[in-house]
Amino acid sequence: MSILPLSPLTPMLRKLQRWAALSDPDRAALLDLPHKIRHLAPNQFIVHEGEKAGYSCVLLSGFAVRHKVAGNGGRQILSLHMAGDLVDLQNSLLDVADHNVQAIGRVEAAYIPVEAITALAADHPAVGRAMWRETLVEGSIFRESLLNLGRRDARARTAHFLCEMALRLEAAGLAVRERFELPVTQEQMGDMLGLTSVHVNRTLQSLGADGIIDRRQRDVAIHDWDRLAKTGDFDPAYLHLGGAVPAQTGAAALYGRETVRPDAA
């Protein structure tokens, strides 16, 4: 494997290499994708529901949330994204966005034309498989979040969320599972877990009082992983963090209201 030059798209390459074994030409083509770098302020929108998508966005740093808003104004956060994630890959095939994606905190993002994404997937099947697996794993995480919301109590939901964040941040190289900084506020956690911010705070305090975690503002230290996982009914299989799949051959071988557009100054 040759050494490729550093690129702003390297976080995306690292992420996709979890899902498929990529050749040097695959990696070079991915890093050579046309893109524009934009810096987003907290609460700026990457995607607005109802917009026609011309770009797919890759997070290079910071965090973003995918969410929908009910008619009564209530927000449900559907997923949280971090560096390396293609936060709207599905928009390369769907004509209109059916949800919002919004920055939390400051974000650096690369906007890639959807035509370039689809051409890359067609010309480099291993990259296409990696992108396909990326969307499938997103679906797996979404199914687990539905189970969390519908069938676990507040304490289990919160413990499960902490376990997931610990492993995802570790896999992204942003933290270690035993200690990490929560990228969300208690209000945002509430919008993810179907709880009020007061309930989230009380539940975190309860986990701390039991000696399972220690929390100072957003800094979380996990003192007893096994108890936290048991409390949260947490099985990491749905995250599919086992590593890249082998290469295949032959027939098996594809709130603020400002949206930051890639052509903005």
Side-chain angles (χ1 to χ4, degrees):
M1 181 179 292
S2 63
I3 298 176
L4 297 173
L6 290 177
S7 164
L9 299 182
T10 298
M12 177 174 66
L13 172 60
R14 285 198 299 263
K15 179 70 180 293
L16 291 179
Q17 285 185 142
R18 293 186 203 167
W19 312 133
L22 303 181
S23 68
D24 285 346
D26 293 332
R27 296 162 65 229
L30 193 150
L31 294 179
D32 198 41
L33 280 168
H35 61 276
K36 295 183 178 181
I37 306 295
R38 292 291 177 260
H39 293 85
L40 288 72
N43 297 322
Q44 285 186 305
F45 278 75
I46 299 170
V47 177
H48 254 134
E49 185 173 358
E51 286 186 338
K52 182 174 178 59
Y55 296 82
S56 283
C57 176
V58 180
L59 291 190
L60 305 179
S61 66
F63 298 87
V65 291
R66 187 188 310 274
H67 69 83
K68 291 181 72 76
V69 179
N72 62 7
R75 179 178 66 169
Q76 180 63 52
I77 293 178
L78 306 170
S79 57
L80 185 146
H81 296 278
M82 57 193 69
D85 286 358
L86 292 89
V87 296
D88 56 347
L89 182 58
Q90 67 277 2
N91 286 341
S92 63
L93 294 175
L94 298 177
D95 291 332
V96 177
D98 56 24
H99 60 273
N100 305 295
V101 180
Q102 189 173 13
I104 55 173
R106 296 195 174 276
V107 163
E108 183 181 31
Y111 287 79
I112 304 170
V114 295
E115 296 86 357
I117 291 283
T118 54
L120 177 66
D123 295 341
H124 294 265
V127 178
R129 284 197 300 273
M131 291 180 176
W132 188 8
R133 283 177 65 88
E134 171 80 358
T135 61
L136 293 174
V137 173
E138 276 194 13
S140 178
I141 294 172
F142 180 69
R143 288 188 290 275
E144 188 70 19
S145 73
L146 285 179
L147 178 62
N148 212 31
L149 282 169
R151 294 300 177 184
R152 295 186 179 118
D153 62 23
R155 183 177 168 91
R157 290 182 209 177
T158 304
H160 191 281
F161 172 75
L162 294 176
C163 288
E164 179 180 308
M165 283 296 96
L167 292 190
R168 289 183 61 198
L169 289 167
E170 183 175 68
L174 299 174
V176 295
R177 72 180 67 185
E178 294 83 6
R179 191 179 195 94
F180 58 93
E181 183 177 342
L182 275 174
V184 293
T185 65
Q186 290 181 17
E187 179 182 0
Q188 291 161 343
M189 275 187 68
D191 286 347
M192 290 181 190
L193 302 177
L195 305 170
T196 66
S197 58
V198 172
H199 203 164
V200 169
N201 184 55
R202 288 175 179 168
T203 306
L204 290 170
Q205 288 181 352
S206 172
L207 292 170
D210 289 343
I212 300 174
I213 67 168
D214 181 41
R215 178 179 61 98
R216 297 183 181 180
Q217 296 183 332
R218 293 198 190 183
D219 188 64
V220 174
I222 299 176
H223 295 312
D224 192 331
W225 176 268
D226 290 341
R227 285 183 67 196
L228 186 66
K230 183 176 180 180
T231 299
D233 185 30
F234 180 77
D235 179 347
Y238 73 96
L239 294 172
H240 299 277
L241 293 176
V245 299
Q248 297 181 7
T249 59
L254 203 187
Y255 259 63
R257 291 294 301 173
E258 182 183 357
T259 300
V260 177
R261 301 179 184 275
D263 53 355

